[in-house]
Amino acid sequence: GALHGQTLCRRLTTQPITQYPDTLKQQLRYQSPQQHDSLAYKGQSYEEVVELRKQYLTPNVTSYYKKPLLIHRGSGSQLFDQEKSYLDMFGGIVTVSVGHCHPKVNAALEEQLRTLWHTTNIYMHPKLHQYAERLMAKMPGDLKNVYFVNSGSEANDLAMLIARLYTGNNDIISFRNAYHGASPYTMGLTAHSTWRYPLPGINSGVLHTMNPDPYTGIWGGKHCRDSPVQTSRNCNCQEGQCKATDMYYEQLEQIFKYSLPRGKVAAMFAESIQGVGGTVQYTKGYIKRAAELVRANGGLFISDEVQSGFGRTGEHYWGFEGHDIVPDIVTMAKGMGNGFPMGAVITSRKVAEVLSQALHFNTFGGNPLACAVGIAVLDVIDEEELQKNSLEVGTYMLKGLERLRDKHDVIGDVRGKGLMIGVELVADKETRQHLSAPHFVDIWEMCKDMGVLFGRGGLNANVLRIKPPMCINRTDADYALAVIDYCCDQYMKKQKRGSRR
């Protein structure tokens, strides 16, 4: 099985739940929590919180799971509700990079909040400049100027503005299946119908090109992806030459031929690996060729590193490095603050100068608290070798998931790099028909009941998104693999029982 006979240790705050088969229970060793009373939950009851949520929060604020979790504490790779602990394999939507409540990050924040919370940029404060220097040391080429904001949507919003100002062009290209934010400006970049409101002007100046997806796209297969695990789909590509990339690139050229003013584009946006879209990777070499085409037509190439940055992909610190490019603009957020609201736009001095044409101001961007946290996060990633850990544990997990894909008919594809992993669940492996929502939820809820939290993504919401804190170890990976193995097995048995009836 996925555990390879190892004994795992999971800490729960109550007795273990009993849905597991005896064989799995025997492979798991539970321990009573050794926590201080001060860490136990003492807040409002679950029922009171549910009522307050219904009464005061806007109804679009929805939660995961049929019975949402009430999380009150986190530590490392663990989250705690009132009853037990969970292995967090989603990191607060790819945001908790170095671990929940990391002691060094906590200490940096506590030290800063005792001296200075806020001044905004009308004055100088040392942490802003210290952090800028540290962050720019991680950037290649001319990417040496930064503007701090508070979220990924804000960062992409500003990157759109900069690109249009700098080039004097208006049109921007992004991929179908991309997610770049939900602000009115970035909603046009985002190409998921589920994230778009029926408002005029949302798509103004934004065009979506075909997504070069080697699993569900028109072209691609088992030689086309930069991942330790290739899709099982057949293709005619040879080693070192991806024919699928040639055909997807032709589709991009069609945008330039038919939908843009000749030789005039402002920018192209691309996530290094699509996040919300279901950890989708592109065909080999596509991004590099796309960047060259965009620049040849007067535009800038913008890499969205909101989810793939800060060492998560393992082989590189930034996801764009895996595509062998240096972008003109890089946007980032999420993992840079380990949960503290932070974002940034990084570009060259030459491009950044266009913002001097008028006043542009962000009250909270680069405030002392955020910068203290940001510095500590950079320190921890380096000191604890979390990029290396992402590569080693991530590849180990990908290979384990590959075995599960070959074992279970419901797992259609496994993909990703480092600790940015997607597992696509299907109703039919041959046709790649997605698993419908009720069936996906059966498996997903089972995983939660067994103490493992996964994200959910893809246009059809049929992809397990595995993007945990980068501090997880092989024991955590083994536990997650065992749970996926068991839940998929239970699902398939249930389906067979249903078909016999």
Side-chain angles (χ1 to χ4, degrees):
L3 291 173
H4 309 298
Q6 295 183 40
T7 300
L8 304 186
C9 170
R10 294 275 291 122
R11 296 180 182 275
L12 301 183
T13 61
T14 61
Q15 292 298 311
I17 53 179
T18 57
Q19 292 98 316
Y20 320 164
D22 290 340
T23 52
L24 184 55
K25 284 185 201 171
Q26 290 167 8
Q27 295 177 65
L28 306 175
R29 177 163 51 87
Y30 293 92
Q31 294 183 346
S32 299
Q34 296 181 356
Q35 58 179 7
H36 301 294
D37 290 341
S38 62
L39 296 178
Y41 180 66
K42 297 178 181 178
Q44 292 162 307
S45 72
Y46 185 92
E47 291 72 23
E48 286 175 314
V49 172
V50 169
E51 285 305 311
L52 290 170
R53 191 177 183 86
K54 287 179 182 177
Q55 186 173 356
Y56 294 115
L57 299 190
T58 55
N60 66 300
V61 180
T62 56
S63 300
Y64 270 8
Y65 306 118
K66 293 172 183 175
K67 184 181 179 182
L69 299 176
L70 180 57
I71 300 296
H72 74 98
R73 186 164 68 90
S75 177
S77 61
Q78 302 289 308
L79 288 172
F80 299 81
D81 67 5
Q82 321 95 290
E83 297 177 346
K84 64 173 185 281
S85 73
Y86 298 86
L87 176 61
D88 180 12
M89 295 301 287
F90 198 28
I93 315 183
V94 209
T95 300
V96 180
S97 51
V98 301
H100 292 282
C101 297
H102 191 285
K104 181 159 187 165
V105 180
N106 281 8
L109 179 59
E110 289 167 5
E111 181 182 356
Q112 183 60 48
L113 64 81
R114 283 193 290 268
T115 56
L116 181 67
W117 278 46
H118 181 72
T119 63
T120 204
N121 290 334
I122 58 173
Y123 309 115
M124 294 192 293
H125 65 85
K127 280 292 191 295
L128 172 68
H129 305 84
Q130 184 183 347
Y131 183 43
E133 182 181 29
R134 288 287 308 279
L135 188 58
M136 292 312 95
K138 298 290 188 183
M139 304 305 299
D142 295 330
L143 296 169
K144 297 302 178 188
N145 276 209
V146 60
Y147 190 90
F148 291 112
V149 293
N150 308 292
S151 73
S153 290
E154 278 189 61
N156 286 331
D157 202 286
L158 180 57
M160 293 174 75
L161 174 67
I162 291 172
R164 283 170 166 160
L165 286 172
Y166 180 78
T167 63
N169 300 328
N170 185 60
D171 294 301
I172 296 175
I173 300 169
S174 68
F175 287 122
R176 298 172 192 167
N177 200 55
Y179 180 89
H180 295 288
S183 68
Y185 211 31
T186 58
M187 193 181 295
L189 291 177
T190 293
H192 281 224
S193 59
T194 48
W195 291 92
R196 295 166 68 87
Y197 289 94
L199 298 171
I202 290 297
N203 240 38
S204 177
V206 177
L207 302 104
H208 300 125
T209 191
M210 186 180 287
N211 199 34
D213 177 357
Y215 179 65
T216 60
I218 299 175
W219 306 290
K222 60 186 179 182
H223 300 294
C224 298
R225 198 160 60 196
D226 178 21
S227 172
V229 182
Q230 296 293 336
T231 172
S232 55
R233 181 183 179 189
N234 288 323
C235 69
N236 297 320
C237 302
Q238 304 298 318
E239 192 69 33
Q241 181 184 14
C242 184
K243 293 182 179 178
T245 286
D246 294 339
M247 290 182 278
Y248 285 120
Y249 181 78
E250 286 180 13
Q251 293 297 311
L252 179 60
E253 286 184 313
Q254 300 297 310
I255 297 278
F256 283 86
K257 287 180 180 178
Y258 296 108
S259 302
L260 290 169
R262 186 179 296 274
K264 292 186 181 298
V265 68
M268 181 172 181
F269 269 79
E271 303 162 86
S272 295
I273 298 175
Q274 289 180 338
V276 173
T279 320
V280 173
Q281 295 177 275
Y282 315 119
T283 55
K284 291 178 181 177
Y286 178 97
I287 290 293
K288 188 171 186 177
R289 292 176 64 182
E292 291 168 355
L293 181 62
V294 168
R295 288 164 174 160
N297 284 271
L300 303 181
F301 194 85
I302 302 171
S303 284
D304 180 334
E305 293 287 327
V306 170
Q307 297 193 25
S308 57
F310 295 90
R312 178 163 292 278
T313 60
E315 289 181 354
H316 303 97
Y317 204 86
W318 305 109
F320 64 74
E321 295 175 287
H323 297 289
D324 191 27
I325 65 166
V326 176
D328 300 294
I329 300 176
V330 179
T331 60
M332 59 190 65
K334 288 189 179 287
M336 73 185 296
N338 200 49
F340 200 94
M342 297 177 67
V345 178
I346 296 176
T347 187
S348 66
R349 186 76 175 185
K350 183 179 178 182
V351 172
E353 283 175 349
V354 298
L355 282 179
S356 301
Q357 294 177 18
L359 292 175
H360 184 84
F361 189 70
N362 187 302
T363 300
F364 298 105
N367 78 77
L369 297 175
C371 292
V373 166
I375 292 167
V377 168
L378 294 179
D379 285 341
V380 173
I381 292 171
D382 289 347
E383 292 166 3
E384 299 185 6
E385 297 185 311
L386 295 185
Q387 180 184 334
K388 180 182 178 183
N389 191 64
S390 292
L391 177 62
E392 293 177 352
V393 177
T395 302
Y396 174 80
M397 191 161 192
L398 279 160
K399 289 298 185 182
L401 289 165
E402 183 180 32
R403 292 191 291 273
L404 296 185
R405 180 200 66 189
D406 296 341
K407 176 181 178 181
H408 296 291
D409 288 342
V410 73
I411 299 179
D413 193 36
V414 171
R415 52 187 178 253
K417 293 179 72 175
L419 287 173
M420 191 161 184
I421 299 170
V423 179
E424 184 148 352
L425 304 186
V426 295
D428 188 306
K429 257 184 174 170
E430 292 300 315
T431 64
R432 304 184 298 282
Q433 173 64 33
H434 68 271
L435 192 66
S436 64
H439 294 278
F440 178 93
V441 166
D442 275 354
I443 296 171
W444 189 51
E445 291 272 358
M446 255 193 290
C447 291
K448 180 264 291 183
D449 291 340
M450 295 179 68
V452 184
L453 306 179
F454 295 111
R456 187 179 182 188
L459 180 63
N460 298 300
N462 67 314
V463 179
L464 292 172
R465 295 176 65 195
I466 303 175
K467 288 98 182 254
M470 296 188 294
C471 60
I472 70 160
N473 55 38
R474 290 195 181 201
T475 297
D476 296 324
D478 279 330
Y479 187 76
L481 288 167
V483 167
I484 293 173
D485 187 12
Y486 171 65
C487 293
C488 288
D489 188 57
Q490 290 298 105
Y491 170 79
M492 294 308 299
K493 286 178 179 176
K494 179 180 175 183
Q495 292 306 107
K496 287 175 182 176
R497 288 196 299 270
S499 65
R500 286 199 296 270
R501 294 193 189 102

